[in-house]
Amino acid sequence: MNPSTEIENGLPLDMIIFGGMGDLAMRKLLPALYMAFLHGNLPATTRIVSTGRQDFDREAYLAHVEENSRSFITQSAFNDKTWDGFLKLLEYVRLDVQAAPDFGGLAQVSRPGAQRVFYLSTAPALFTIICDKLAAAGLVDGNARVVLEKPLGHDLPSAIEINEAVGKHFAESQIYRIDHYLGKETVQNLMVLRFGNSILEPLWRAPNISSVQITVAEELGVGSRAGFYDGTGAMRDMLQNHLLQLLCIVAMEPPTSLNADAVRDEKLKVLRSLRRFTLADIARDTVRGQYTHGVSGNQEVEGYLEERNVPEDSKTETFVALRTYIDTWRWSKVPFYLRTGKRMQRRSSKIVVEFANPPFPLFPDAPGGVANRLVIELQPEEAIKLQIMAKQPGSGMQMQQVTLNLDLQSAFQQRRAEAYERLLIDVVRGRLTHFMRRDELEAAWAWADPIINGWTTLGEKPHPYPAGSWGPAESFALLARDGHAWVE
Ligand code: NAP
């Protein structure tokens, strides 16, 4: 274990998790905090206070963590001594957020004058009551920070309501709206690639870039989340947040500094420049899909409508693809194709930047298709590849596509932290750059709402696609009519 470092303000750290018994806490938050502890990124003064309604004492909570969280730590990173040290940081407070007196119990455990980080890993319907009661219990001071998990609303009015409620007690600079895609090494690296080099920037615009694709494909179905998912759908669950955030990083102008607001100002400009969809645009440029029975990972799987807790006549989309434009000088007429879905052929998230083909075909035997692509792979592995044309060895001038692989794994032998670990450390250190600001979130909803409402107005039913495929045929047609194709 590395020596622990203090946080900049020198205060002891109280990390207080609401929903501390929940799935996210067990699978992601506690393992991420363990990794941060292992690598000396938590101050020695850290205390992690989990809250939940179960009438547990500390020992029972630790047993629950042993049973439900430990297995989510990479085996090679696990060691008993560090784990024991980590468990010593943990406290449990029984707390029902509806009960004001329970917050008195929390106030007794949290140290006066500590740097408090409240992680709200509960349904967003509880955010208002949690913030109100924290403030009433005197737990919110000028140093406190609050982390908000998605979903941050289901439309613009509900997002505003959450922002208003949290903003009553926390200044914007104290609010960390998490989107774990922004914590991925490769996404952060895309900013360095774009703004730390000069070779890409002159090309990074129309007409040199002919299109951009962003895909977030999941192999899994809705599983146990069906109850929640059916009222949400792929547009709200994935596209409005994760895919738009990726689009912002691809499309933003160079910020004036790395200051959080300078970066977020540029992302906001992108969101505000996204072309608004008319009903005709929605009918032509969006595709909704819903998976049916099929084969996924060599196993027969049920269709969405057969999943438990899904109404048999549900019209919720488990897939969405769309074409959009950013109305700025840089991106004029460049289509951005976004696609996300469940039960796709495999788990794969990537950004594909396609460059314009050479204006004149000098080499008669050139293979068809796109000559140059920058492919940024985010899942399952993180990688950056540039596809270029090269001459095949031998006589003649035959061309072939080859891939320049930016081998970051070999270039940097260091461990690459998981997104949640990196973002939690950012919260502890007070770094807001990779978190969404209120106006960004609201601009994203302002763009997404008319599309979602338009589907209702048009009475659009999702197109069926077999589980284990890449989505409905209409999604391929969306690109084909522009002479493009999805890169799998
Ligand atoms: P979960 O397993 O259902 O956990 C929710 C937690 O909320 C439970 O631990 C529950 O505590 C607590 N809770 C509910 N009512 C409460 C009350 N009245 N007082 C105190 N605590 C209360 O949900 P989750 O999967 O961890 O997700 C939490 C949030 O993160 C959700 O908004 C979800 O959409 C979001 N999220 C989850 C994931 C994920 O991978 N799971 C990913 C991204 C975002 P007790 O039942 O113990 O009292």
Side-chain angles (χ1 to χ4, degrees):
M1 197 193 347
N2 296 329
S4 296
T5 45
E6 295 308 317
I7 42 181
E8 287 70 5
N9 58 18
L11 300 177
L13 173 69
D14 280 0
M15 169 80 65
I16 297 157
I17 305 177
F18 287 85
M21 300 276 293
D23 175 69
L24 184 68
M26 291 300 138
R27 284 195 308 112
K28 296 284 183 192
L29 305 183
L30 292 178
L33 287 166
Y34 166 84
M35 293 302 287
F37 176 67
L38 172 70
H39 292 281
N41 286 318
L42 289 184
T45 55
T46 300
R47 200 188 273 175
I48 299 167
V49 184
S50 285
T51 73
R53 286 170 300 180
Q54 292 273 354
D55 205 3
F56 276 6
D57 60 14
R58 181 167 182 273
E59 293 315 307
Y61 182 68
L62 295 190
H64 182 84
V65 172
E66 277 284 346
E67 201 176 312
N68 296 286
S69 190
R70 180 180 160 152
S71 59
F72 291 101
I73 296 167
T74 323
Q75 240 183 344
S76 58
F78 188 83
N79 82 62
D80 287 319
K81 197 160 159 257
T82 311
W83 180 245
D84 288 345
F86 176 70
L87 292 184
K88 288 200 175 76
L89 308 181
L90 262 58
E91 302 278 344
Y92 178 76
V93 171
R94 201 209 62 78
L95 182 151
D96 184 336
V97 304
Q98 311 287 351
D102 289 0
F103 283 75
L106 181 60
Q108 279 172 14
V109 172
S110 181
R111 291 164 289 184
Q115 162 71 71
R116 296 191 185 101
V117 171
F118 302 107
Y119 199 116
L120 308 195
S121 177
T122 66
L126 301 181
F127 289 180
T128 306
I129 194 164
I130 293 174
C131 291
D132 286 350
K133 293 222 163 82
L134 283 173
L139 285 160
V140 182
D141 59 19
N143 289 314
R145 294 172 191 155
V146 63
V147 186
L148 306 179
E149 259 301 338
K150 77 163 202 181
L152 289 167
H154 56 270
D155 57 11
L156 179 58
S158 56
I160 291 174
E161 203 178 309
I162 292 173
N163 285 332
E164 292 288 337
V166 177
K168 259 193 349 203
H169 307 294
F170 294 89
E172 185 60 31
S173 59
Q174 296 175 284
I175 304 174
Y176 293 72
R177 296 179 189 80
I178 207 160
D179 184 318
H180 70 274
Y181 275 72
L182 294 179
K184 288 184 181 291
E185 183 70 46
T186 319
V187 174
Q188 298 184 2
N189 202 5
L190 180 55
M191 277 181 65
V192 177
L193 200 72
R194 286 195 57 200
F195 305 129
N197 299 291
S198 58
I199 56 167
L200 283 176
E201 179 54 21
L203 296 175
W204 205 261
R205 61 186 64 246
N208 305 319
I209 289 178
S210 60
S211 75
V212 176
Q213 300 181 14
I214 302 176
T215 294
V216 176
E218 298 177 282
E219 192 174 323
L220 297 175
V222 283
S224 58
R225 288 179 73 220
F228 159 78
Y229 191 88
D230 198 63
T232 304
M235 180 73 173
R236 291 188 174 100
D237 192 42
M238 299 295 290
L239 198 141
Q240 177 275 341
N241 40 49
H242 304 314
L243 278 86
L244 283 192
Q245 285 296 315
L246 296 177
L247 176 142
C248 285
I249 305 285
V250 175
M252 66 196 266
E253 295 298 318
T256 50
S257 76
L258 280 184
N259 168 283
D261 278 334
V263 172
R264 299 187 300 177
D265 285 347
E266 297 307 331
K267 287 166 61 200
L268 177 65
K269 279 193 223 162
V270 174
L271 291 166
R272 288 190 173 155
S273 310
L274 278 171
R275 190 177 297 174
R276 298 298 186 252
F277 280 66
T278 62
L279 281 182
D281 296 335
I282 295 168
R284 189 190 56 237
D285 290 346
T286 72
V287 177
R288 296 169 78 227
Q290 193 182 70
Y291 64 83
T292 57
H293 171 269
V295 176
S296 173
N298 290 330
Q299 275 198 325
E300 252 189 77
V301 293
E302 290 176 326
Y304 180 70
L305 296 180
E306 288 89 60
E307 300 269 16
R308 214 152 46 91
N309 295 329
V310 173
E312 59 188 26
D313 58 349
S314 170
K315 295 186 180 60
T316 299
E317 80 282 357
T318 60
F319 173 97
V320 62
L322 56 82
R323 177 180 73 166
T324 187
Y325 291 92
I326 300 169
D327 286 329
T328 59
W329 277 32
R330 185 188 286 269
W331 296 113
S332 175
K333 300 195 177 67
V334 177
F336 280 71
Y337 302 106
L338 311 184
R339 166 178 72 157
T340 182
K342 291 196 176 292
R343 282 277 184 243
M344 308 275 284
Q345 198 172 97
R346 61 170 187 276
R347 178 168 175 246
S348 165
S349 300
K350 62 171 75 162
I351 300 167
V352 179
V353 179
E354 289 199 344
F355 292 90
N357 277 333
F360 175 72
L362 184 61
F363 302 99
D365 296 328
V370 176
N372 305 122
R373 286 193 182 107
L374 183 70
V375 181
I376 298 134
E377 291 177 1
L378 309 173
Q379 276 173 171
E381 302 302 331
E382 300 197 34
I384 300 180
K385 295 171 182 166
L386 180 64
Q387 183 184 298
I388 54 172
M389 289 293 176
K391 179 185 169 301
Q392 272 185 30
S395 63
M397 293 293 272
Q398 299 275 347
M399 290 208 296
Q400 195 179 313
Q401 244 154 21
V402 289
T403 301
L404 262 179
N405 190 349
L406 205 59
D407 190 353
L408 300 168
Q409 310 284 348
S410 315
F412 303 103
Q413 301 290 329
Q414 290 107 305
R415 176 185 77 92
R416 297 153 86 81
E418 288 279 330
Y420 268 102
E421 181 188 343
R422 194 172 296 119
L423 291 173
L424 276 164
I425 295 171
D426 279 352
V427 177
V428 170
R429 306 257 163 238
R431 299 189 289 236
L432 275 157
T433 305
H434 302 299
F435 296 85
M436 279 181 292
R437 205 169 55 192
R438 173 178 181 161
D439 45 12
E440 278 184 81
L441 173 73
E442 292 179 3
W445 277 121
W447 175 82
D449 276 358
I451 303 174
I452 298 168
N453 297 337
W455 286 332
T456 310
T457 309
L458 292 168
E460 289 262 330
K461 279 205 283 211
H463 300 282
Y465 64 96
S469 72
W470 284 111
E474 289 76 4
S475 153
F476 296 92
L478 180 71
L479 274 69
R481 70 174 191 234
D482 296 343
H484 295 292
W486 292 111
V487 177
E488 310 299 3

